[in-house]
Amino acid sequence: MIRILHVFGKLNMGGAETRTMDLYEHIDRTKVQFDFLCHYAPTKEDLAKIHGTSSEELSKVRPAEDFDAKIRSLGGRIFVLPRFTGTNLPAYERAVSAFFASHHDFAAVEGHMTSTASIYLPAAKKAGVPVTIAHARSAGVDAGIRGVATRLFRASLFKKCGYMLSCSRPAALSVFGKKACEAKPLEAVNTASIAKRLGAVQVVPNALDVRSFAFDSAARAAIRGEFGIGEDDIVLGHVGRFDPVKNQAYLAPVLSDLKEKFPGRRIVILFVGRGDQTKTKEAFAERHLTDQVIYAGLCDRERTRKMYQAFDAFVFPSLYEGLPGTVVEAQASGLSCVISDAITDEVCVTKRVMRVPLSDPSQWVDRIREVIEKPGDRKECSDEALTSLQRAGFDIETAAPCMEKWYLAATQDADHYYLV
């Protein structure tokens, strides 16, 4: 058995974390086992309780996160590093080096947090970890100084990792750059055929358990009843954390215009996710739409699956994404999806996904109106979508064995190292 260390910021229910957990649950763990390295910024109170900021000490004060219990139940270990703040670079570099000096019993380290992967992946390699992997998950960066720092650290990443994986073409270009995406790939690992090639980068679909999102009429009735949603009410659904990049406030004028288009029907937006909702709530309040918005908060995976069933359409106005698994989940449940044209067309597996420019809210109103007026048979749409998603590589039942073979092949060829 080999062990792969996955590096994240946190182990909460973000997209990259959820997709990695989907893989973890379906991979043959007698052959490939996962461990996780996350980050935590200790408070002054925390520091008074511990001796230093080693992984072992930080683990004593770090609060439990969404996936901790599941990881441990599957046999994974959780390690902790101090969070990089942008002003503690020397301290972060020392912490990374110290960690890998003591913990290098991994066949590979896979960095999903690419903002600092150019620091921790070379440190892992230097400490004796034979294979390093950078996995691009996002097609953009945060605004301000944090975004500037991320771009600087990513600039050399393609030269500092053994393998480059990406969830989409835009994410590959954003994280690894044009040079890496046009470079001739080295064919050292070609065993599993897990992905398309984009130069030296392998583009791997964000696979998930698509069948678990199949349309469920009983779940639809239960969730709509729980929130007081009538049979004839129209529900626009959104799943995602509240963050500027998710752009939820954009939907306020869209809902306002839709309300005028359907004067005899109640239209609500059902948001699933946590985060700072202040700006979103203000945007809807300004248009006197507060009573038409439902905030369901963070839901575990089973409850989120049920939430999709209650929707009549899925709306997703993000400013950028890597490849949003939520749009894949929505398609699996038979929903039509109206999404930002900033999102890669690689997610448009079915014909029921419409990419609409954010520059023209009226087009959003028109597309959503079309979906409402011609909803289609939900179960039939779901069944067709499941077949299409499986063929496109988004089914974890098919993807997990392929990734398992890829990990085994990559770690057997530990001398392979991209230097584009």
Side-chain angles (χ1 to χ4, degrees):
M1 180 185 72
I2 63 170
R3 303 192 79 97
I4 310 295
L5 179 69
H6 292 269
V7 184
F8 287 101
K10 294 184 177 182
L11 296 177
N12 287 328
M13 290 201 301
E17 295 86 346
T18 301
R19 297 290 79 86
T20 302
M21 290 302 298
D22 286 336
L23 175 60
Y24 190 19
E25 291 185 69
H26 287 83
I27 207 164
D28 185 344
R29 294 183 296 279
T30 66
K31 296 179 181 178
V32 181
Q33 179 58 257
F34 287 176
D35 293 316
F36 293 81
L37 176 60
C38 60
H39 292 69
Y40 176 65
T43 65
K44 291 182 179 179
E45 292 77 11
D46 290 333
L47 293 173
K49 300 174 185 177
I50 58 178
H51 303 284
T53 56
S54 67
S55 177
E56 291 73 16
E57 291 298 306
L58 287 175
S59 295
K60 296 176 182 178
V61 294
R62 167 185 166 269
E65 293 176 338
D66 296 340
F67 288 123
D68 284 20
K70 174 59 72 174
I71 288 168
R72 293 190 173 107
S73 74
L74 296 176
R77 300 174 294 180
I78 299 173
F79 304 97
V80 190
L81 279 177
R83 185 173 300 159
F84 177 62
T85 64
T87 59
N88 64 340
L89 179 58
Y92 183 74
E93 290 176 327
R94 288 194 298 271
V96 168
S97 296
F99 172 79
F100 283 111
S102 301
H103 304 85
H104 46 258
D105 58 330
F106 311 106
V109 175
E110 182 169 346
H112 304 266
M113 192 181 80
T114 55
S115 57
T116 55
S118 60
I119 298 173
Y120 61 75
L121 290 181
K125 186 77 175 179
K126 184 177 180 181
V129 178
V131 173
T132 56
I133 307 161
H135 200 144
R137 296 287 194 172
S138 176
V141 298
D142 293 332
I145 190 65
R146 185 172 177 176
V148 172
T150 295
R151 288 190 179 92
L152 287 173
F153 282 122
R154 284 179 177 173
S156 61
L157 179 56
F158 76 99
K159 294 187 287 187
K160 294 182 176 180
C161 58
Y163 294 98
M164 291 176 281
L165 304 182
S166 179
C167 64
S168 67
R169 295 187 304 269
L173 286 163
S174 176
V175 173
F176 300 118
K178 186 176 180 181
K179 185 176 180 181
C181 292
E182 292 179 348
K184 182 178 180 181
L186 301 176
E187 296 294 342
V189 175
N190 197 26
T191 303
S193 299
I194 59 168
K196 305 183 289 291
R197 286 280 189 178
L198 187 63
V201 184
Q202 296 182 84
V203 181
V204 185
N206 271 347
L208 53 97
D209 185 2
V210 293
R211 288 196 174 277
S212 70
F213 291 89
F215 179 62
D216 181 342
S217 59
R220 176 181 175 84
I223 294 297
R224 289 173 77 102
E226 176 184 338
F227 288 103
I229 300 169
E231 185 176 340
D232 292 329
D233 293 346
I234 301 164
V235 180
L236 308 180
H238 176 91
V239 179
R241 71 187 186 279
F242 283 87
D243 184 276
V245 69
K246 297 296 184 181
N247 199 26
Q248 287 98 336
Y250 179 88
L251 297 170
V254 173
L255 178 60
S256 181
D257 287 351
L258 282 168
K259 184 179 178 181
E260 294 180 5
K261 303 287 186 185
F262 296 91
R265 298 181 68 181
R266 181 184 178 220
I267 305 178
V268 300
I269 293 185
L270 176 51
F271 287 115
V272 178
R274 65 180 161 200
D276 186 354
Q277 302 167 352
T278 304
K279 290 185 177 179
T280 301
K281 289 184 174 180
E282 288 175 351
F284 284 97
E286 287 174 3
R287 292 168 175 80
H288 308 288
L289 297 170
T290 299
D291 61 346
Q292 290 180 247
V293 184
I294 299 171
Y295 298 91
L298 179 69
C299 298
D300 62 24
R301 287 194 283 178
E302 175 59 19
R303 184 162 171 79
T304 299
R305 180 192 72 79
K306 294 178 180 178
M307 288 290 178
Y308 283 106
Q309 316 311 319
F311 302 161
D312 295 304
F314 188 73
V315 287
F316 206 70
S318 290
L319 301 178
Y320 62 82
E321 293 280 348
L323 191 144
T326 51
V327 179
V328 177
E329 294 168 352
Q331 289 175 83
S333 71
L335 287 166
S336 291
C337 305
V338 181
I339 68 174
S340 160
D341 67 347
I343 298 171
T344 177
D345 61 4
E346 293 161 278
V347 79
C348 302
V349 180
T350 71
K351 294 180 180 179
R352 299 179 71 84
V353 182
M354 292 158 276
R355 295 167 70 244
V356 184
L358 292 171
S359 59
D360 189 357
S362 66
Q363 287 196 43
W364 283 72
V365 174
D366 291 342
R367 298 292 83 75
I368 295 170
R369 182 180 182 180
E370 291 172 8
V371 172
I372 293 170
E373 292 176 341
K374 298 179 180 179
D377 182 273
R378 185 71 178 274
K379 186 179 186 307
E380 183 179 310
C381 292
S382 177
D383 290 343
E384 291 176 356
L386 291 175
T387 299
S388 298
L389 290 166
Q390 289 168 339
R391 289 174 177 169
F394 286 99
D395 180 19
I396 196 64
E397 296 285 352
T398 302
C402 290
M403 282 303 301
E404 174 189 309
K405 291 177 183 177
W406 189 87
Y407 283 129
L408 292 169
T411 53
Q412 287 171 4
D413 185 38
D415 291 333
H416 174 55
Y417 202 74
Y418 280 129
L419 287 173
V420 183

